[in-house]
Amino acid sequence: MPVIRNTNIKKYDIPTAQFATYAAPSLGSKETAVWRIALKAKAEGLTHQLTREEIILAIDGSAIADIDGERHVVSAGETLIIPAYVDFSLSNPNEAEFAAIAIFPVGGEAVVGKDVPFTPPWAA
């Protein structure tokens, strides 16, 4: 399917954010998943690792990324590159929502603590 219509976009809600899938294997892509992150105001990030590099393009607001123990402010128009196999979290200490587009290779997984690696549903 070369065109994914707005009506086919899948949305996933968790307490701190909403993820809207624009491309993933469930929508026909074979190599890359793309989704929009809407991180709620005052949202605390969950520390996790990724098995593949993830790229996040901030499109609105700002957030705090903790990558392998280093804090980085990322604001609209800036790009965040998260290496594989490092501790990572994304928090929004602000009063306004933070929005971003994430790009992640198909087959990449997330790992929380010592749990079994899994593909987030918005990347599947």
Side-chain angles (χ1 to χ4, degrees):
M1 173 180 354
V3 177
I4 299 168
R5 305 286 177 204
N6 289 339
T7 55
N8 291 12
I9 294 168
K10 298 177 179 185
K11 294 185 179 179
Y12 302 88
D13 290 297
I14 64 172
T16 58
Q18 181 183 73
F19 300 88
T21 303
Y22 291 96
S26 61
L27 294 173
S29 67
K30 303 232 184 295
E31 297 184 21
T32 308
V34 178
W35 61 88
R36 182 180 189 276
I37 304 163
L39 191 57
K40 296 178 182 176
K42 303 295 182 184
E44 289 291 324
L46 173 67
T47 299
H48 61 290
Q49 292 189 358
L50 304 165
T51 63
R52 303 284 301 275
E53 177 182 85
E54 180 178 28
I55 297 173
I56 295 177
L57 170 61
I59 55 175
D60 193 31
S62 66
I64 304 292
D66 188 304
I67 302 173
D68 207 20
E70 288 188 40
R71 288 174 49 99
H72 306 272
V73 175
V74 60
S75 298
E78 297 177 337
T79 302
L80 181 65
I81 300 171
I82 303 131
Y85 298 105
V86 299
D87 286 338
F88 166 71
S89 69
L90 188 63
S91 301
N92 180 5
N94 306 301
E95 298 292 334
E97 181 179 274
F98 170 74
I101 298 295
I103 301 103
F104 195 56
V106 167
E109 296 178 305
V111 183
V112 179
K114 297 198 183 294
D115 292 348
V116 174
F118 66 97
T119 301
W122 44 87

